[in-house]
Amino acid sequence: MGVSDCSDIVGVLGGMGPAATLDFLHKMLEATPARSDQEHVPVLVASIPQVPDRTAAFRGEGDSPLPALLASGRRLAEGGAGVLVMPCNTAHLWFDALQSALGLPMLHLVDAALAEAVALAGPAARIGLLATDATSAAALYPNRTPAGSALQWVMPTAGEMLDAVMPGIAAVKAGDHARGGALLQRAADALARRGAQALVLGCTEIPLVLDAERSPLPLIDATAALARRAVAWSLARRAGAAVAIAD
Amino acid sequence: MGVSDCSDIVGVLGGMGPAATLDFLHKMLEATPARSDQEHVPVLVASIPQVPDRTAAFRGEGDSPLPALLASGRRLAEGGAGVLVMPCNTAHLWFDALQSALGLPMLHLVDAALAEAVALAGPAARIGLLATDATSAAALYPNRTPAGSALQWVMPTAGEMLDAVMPGIAAVKAGDHARGGALLQRAADALARRGAQALVLGCTEIPLVLDAERSPLPLIDATAALARRAVAWSLARRAGAAVAIAD
């Protein structure tokens, strides 16, 4: 256990929410070229959803999720994960604190999504962002715009956040996918009207209800982007290749 | 970490195959009455599919899966799981060895499925079984028939195992759900013709392609039965109730 310097095991710090974690794991399976069980990528998952609400913590209205995130990260490290990923955008507000406390390499969801956004829409595209208000207010996406690109961001208005995005995400977490999908599609339509050329799904609940067919714009699914990056990391590690971990 | 005597965390020893593990985790979500992330059951998952093929090992044609199963079980124990479940029927041939080596309580998939079979079809019903040839040859299901019941078993013939059940399971593992579903439905139809009154899906790949709509008989999904038992265990543990663990 714990020989993480040569482990090809992907540690998934999940549970935020549990359905989004399963969506991420499905997307890892889809991203893996495998003809048998044994060819799939090994994963350890901590889906321990008793993490204080990330958005409430950012607003100063609830406990910090950091102690719970650290506890889950330590479970994965002790279990032998060689790298950590977090299929939750908002939790990335605590990414740097986690990485330095855990001493394990981590793959950043926003970097994975932005690389796919630039590849899909070009380095100067107008990108719409659907995310929690904490992810948006902390400028998690704009702050990590890749070097050499000049993405412009089209964000929901305060009213759209209040009336569509946040209640849409809450409806998905409560299992009401019909209501969540309708609210989030309305928010996506507003971004398209204001000139967005592509849309980042920057909260892992959103791709559960908004797919390419329902979206008015080409999509960058941050969950899928991180899944592809995690699979590539593990396959490269298994092949013994040197892996450069961004950040 | 590791205070498993009071942990309500369900440890899932998975990866056999990875898609079956996700199916199990989905069925745990479906079995949980939750309105928010935090109300869901905490799980640690080791989906490390580099486990030698269980059926080949039983036939004497491959390595024992026990060392790999033990390694995954130890990762979960060190991560703090309070109970272990294995969403793989054939791996239950090594259940007793695992439980005594790990010293953690484990919930037995076959016991969960048989309790639901008796509840659905009665204690003297004729039950059809679709399972790997190792699960069938080891009499994993008949040997655990609950006390006070007298279930009769309707098994596939050797030809049906060779031509339909085993290639059907292999097709699912290789991602060819259309072919897998057609082969397994043919096997189910044969059991119905020979008088089975209900059908146990005794391999976790099978419910991925055979559901109530496609089945000629009422179904007992062993994966779902274990998921319900695992959720009940965790909620009872969280509530501080004394939990009697069968076996």
Side-chain angles (χ1 to χ4, degrees), chain A residues 1 9 17-18 22 25-26 29 35 37-38 40 42-45 47 49-51 54 75 78-80 173-174, chain B residues 1 9 17-18 22 25-26 29 35 37-38 40 42-45 47 49-51 54 75 78-79 173-174 238:
Chain A
M1 303 301 122
I9 300 175
L22 295 192
L25 296 170
H26 271 296
L29 282 193
R35 296 289 302 167
D37 291 359
Q38 289 76 13
H40 277 281
V43 293
L44 274 179
V45 187
S47 183
Q50 287 71 37
V51 182
R54 284 68 63 196
R75 293 180 195 281
E78 290 178 15
K173 283 187 184 291
Chain B
M1 304 302 121
I9 299 175
L22 293 192
L25 295 171
H26 271 296
L29 280 193
R35 296 289 302 167
D37 291 358
Q38 288 77 15
H40 277 281
V43 294
L44 274 179
V45 186
S47 182
Q50 287 71 39
V51 182
R54 284 67 65 195
R75 293 180 195 280
E78 291 178 14
K173 283 187 184 290
R238 192 191 303 182

Side-chain angles (χ1 to χ4, degrees), chain A residues 92-189:
Chain A
H92 280 70
L93 295 173
W94 292 270
F95 180 93
D96 295 335
L98 269 169
Q99 190 170 46
S100 65
L102 291 171
L104 259 186
M106 294 177 66
L107 303 176
H108 200 294
L109 177 151
V110 173
D111 294 344
L114 287 178
E116 294 200 358
V118 169
L120 176 73
R126 292 171 60 84
I127 306 285
L129 177 65
L130 288 181
T132 63
D133 49 13
T135 295
S136 302
L140 205 53
Y141 276 81
N143 282 346
R144 294 188 81 95
T145 299
S149 66
L151 299 173
Q152 298 174 67
W153 293 93
V154 185
M155 311 292 283
T157 64
E160 288 161 6
M161 288 300 297
L162 203 64
D163 296 338
V165 180
M166 292 305 289
I169 292 168
V172 177
K173 283 187 184 291
D176 188 347
H177 284 200
R179 176 174 152 76
L183 287 167
L184 290 161
Q185 190 169 4
R186 193 205 300 168
D189 290 340

Side-chain angles (χ1 to χ4, degrees), chain B:
Chain B
M1 304 302 121
V3 279
S4 59
D5 52 336
C6 63
S7 165
D8 63 348
I9 299 175
V10 175
V12 180
L13 209 170
M16 303 174 281
T21 299
L22 293 192
D23 184 50
F24 175 77
L25 295 171
H26 271 296
K27 285 166 180 166
M28 280 190 70
L29 280 193
E30 284 168 10
T32 309
R35 296 289 302 167
S36 69
D37 291 358
Q38 288 77 15
E39 289 174 18
H40 277 281
V41 163
V43 294
L44 274 179
V45 186
S47 182
I48 299 182
Q50 287 71 39
V51 182
D53 186 83
R54 284 67 65 195
T55 295
F58 177 77
R59 288 184 189 138
E61 294 168 2
D63 292 337
S64 168
L66 187 58
L69 293 173
L70 275 171
S72 283
R74 290 200 178 106
R75 293 180 195 280
L76 298 169
E78 291 178 14
V83 73
L84 289 192
V85 294
M86 281 196 295
C88 171
N89 287 259
T90 312
H92 280 71
L93 294 173
W94 292 271
F95 180 93
D96 294 336
L98 269 171
Q99 189 168 47
S100 65
L102 292 171
L104 261 186
M106 294 177 65
L107 302 176
H108 200 295
L109 177 150
V110 173
D111 293 345
L114 288 177
E116 294 200 357
V118 170
L120 176 74
R126 293 172 59 84
I127 306 285
L129 178 64
L130 289 181
T132 63
D133 50 12
T135 295
S136 302
L140 204 53
Y141 276 80
N143 282 348
R144 295 188 80 94
T145 299
S149 66
L151 298 174
Q152 299 174 65
W153 292 94
V154 185
M155 311 294 282
T157 64
E160 289 161 3
M161 288 299 296
L162 203 63
D163 297 337
V165 179
M166 291 307 286
I169 292 168
V172 177
K173 283 187 184 290
D176 189 347
H177 285 199
R179 177 174 152 77
L183 287 166
L184 291 160
Q185 191 169 2
R186 193 204 300 169
D189 289 342
L191 297 178
R193 280 196 303 274
R194 289 205 296 282
Q197 298 164 302
L199 184 63
V200 168
L201 305 185
C203 169
T204 50
E205 312 300 324
I206 300 175
L208 303 181
V209 294
L210 194 64
D211 59 12
E213 278 179 36
R214 295 188 72 168
S215 168
L217 293 170
L219 291 184
I220 299 101
D221 176 353
T223 306
L226 183 64
R228 286 188 272 271
R229 192 163 274 203
V231 168
W233 181 92
S234 182
L235 294 178
R237 177 61 72 99
R238 192 191 303 182
V243 182
I245 294 169
D247 201 0

